[in-house]
Amino acid sequence: DVKVTQSSRYLVKRTGEKVFLECVQDMDHENMFWYRQDPGLGLRLIYFSYDVKMKEKGDIPEGYSVSREKKERFSLILESASTNQTSMYLCASSLGRGGTSAKNIQYFGAGTRLSVL
Amino acid sequence: KNQVEQSPQSLIILEGKNCTLQCNYTVSPFSNLRWYKQDTGRGPVSLTIMTFSENTKSNGRYTATLDADTKQSSLHITASQLSDSASYICVVSPNSNSGYALNFGKGTSLLVTP
């Protein structure tokens, strides 16, 4: 089974702190994604990566950056946390992308619930 | 604008009963449609994935249907169990080489009561 592991289930940080959210997948997937999920808004894509050291902005990248130094690890960075970044953060990975192949199914981690005070 | 609309927003049913969740989308051209189940406090888990040429796909007590002409999909749950209580998310992928470009519905929250 695919396993996507997020380093923390719950995190409490203060405004202005630099925050690192870590995600590791064990299936040699090419693609990794960071989403945030808020009530009434659904999942929104922050950043994604197709390859090591490669990153692309999603729909809401402002206030975030990412790092992918190794294929299995994708980190989300909040440079200066703000209260409006309080949310559930979900990491996902997929083997393929595009077309109709089922191999582009995204597998999600358990999520990190971040509270910024 | 939200290109994937789910209904109802929430639903309460008795254990053992059947239910059907709806997903209407405007994404075009369309590649595939997926249903995910998300337990409270957990990440979403894939239930089914259907291409535009498929009409139905089953996964145990879950059956998804797709009408690509009317751009509608439904997820039918048979003989519901307490463990079916979760949020069900419809996800539509446009027909492009950008596999990241998923359109998420806001989900239907299902509560199964004893």
Side-chain angles (χ1 to χ4, degrees), chain B residues 17-50:
Chain B
K17 298 295 185 182
N18 303 335
C19 69
T20 300
L21 314 180
Q22 299 291 344
C23 174
N24 296 340
Y25 62 92
T26 59
V27 178
S28 182
F30 157 79
S31 173
N32 59 69
L33 184 147
R34 319 160 195 203
W35 283 93
Y36 280 86
K37 177 187 179 189
Q38 184 175 20
D39 293 316
T40 301
R42 312 296 297 184
V45 174
S46 178
L47 291 175
T48 63
I49 179 169
M50 291 182 292

Side-chain angles (χ1 to χ4, degrees), chain A residues 9 37 40 50 99 104 106 109, chain B residues 31 34 36 38 41-43 100:
Chain A
R9 290 297 311 280
Q37 186 177 31
Y50 287 145
N104 66 13
Q106 293 187 14
Chain B
S31 173
R34 319 160 195 203
Y36 280 86
Q38 184 175 20
R42 312 296 297 184
Y100 68 89

Side-chain angles (χ1 to χ4, degrees), chain A residues 4-12 21-22 87-90 109-115, chain B residues 39-43:
Chain A
V4 179
T5 303
Q6 294 184 229
S7 55
S8 304
R9 290 297 311 280
Y10 302 94
L11 213 51
V12 179
L21 302 184
E22 305 287 344
S87 185
M88 167 73 106
Y89 289 88
L90 290 162
T112 296
R113 186 164 292 283
L114 172 67
S115 296
Chain B
D39 293 316
T40 301
R42 312 296 297 184

Side-chain angles (χ1 to χ4, degrees), chain A residues 6-116:
Chain A
Q6 294 184 229
S7 55
S8 304
R9 290 297 311 280
Y10 302 94
L11 213 51
V12 179
K13 296 293 182 179
R14 295 202 175 277
T15 303
E17 278 192 76
K18 190 169 186 176
V19 182
F20 292 87
L21 302 184
E22 305 287 344
C23 175
V24 177
Q25 49 93 4
D26 66 355
M27 284 302 292
D28 202 34
H29 281 178
E30 300 291 331
N31 313 297
M32 296 189 75
F33 310 82
W34 274 107
Y35 295 90
R36 64 178 283 177
Q37 186 177 31
D38 301 288
L41 296 178
L43 277 83
R44 294 179 292 168
L45 181 64
I46 304 172
Y47 267 97
F48 62 97
S49 169
Y50 287 145
D51 201 353
V52 174
K53 297 191 185 295
M54 180 274 178
K55 59 185 179 184
E56 292 286 344
K57 293 180 180 179
D59 299 320
I60 52 165
E62 296 79 19
Y64 304 95
S65 62
V66 290
S67 172
R68 194 166 180 200
E69 296 296 319
K70 293 184 179 181
K71 191 175 185 179
E72 67 271 18
R73 186 181 296 271
F74 192 35
S75 303
L76 180 69
I77 304 157
L78 286 65
E79 296 289 342
S80 178
S82 63
T83 54
N84 63 12
Q85 292 179 309
T86 292
S87 185
M88 167 73 106
Y89 289 88
L90 290 162
C91 174
S93 73
S94 70
L95 179 60
R97 61 184 172 103
T100 58
S101 173
K103 68 181 180 181
N104 66 13
I105 289 176
Q106 293 187 14
Y107 295 87
F108 287 84
T112 296
R113 186 164 292 283
L114 172 67
S115 296
V116 183

Side-chain angles (χ1 to χ4, degrees), chain B residues 83-99:
Chain B
S83 59
D84 293 330
S85 296
S87 179
Y88 292 85
I89 303 171
C90 175
V91 185
V92 179
S93 177
N95 188 13
S96 72
N97 287 324
S98 300

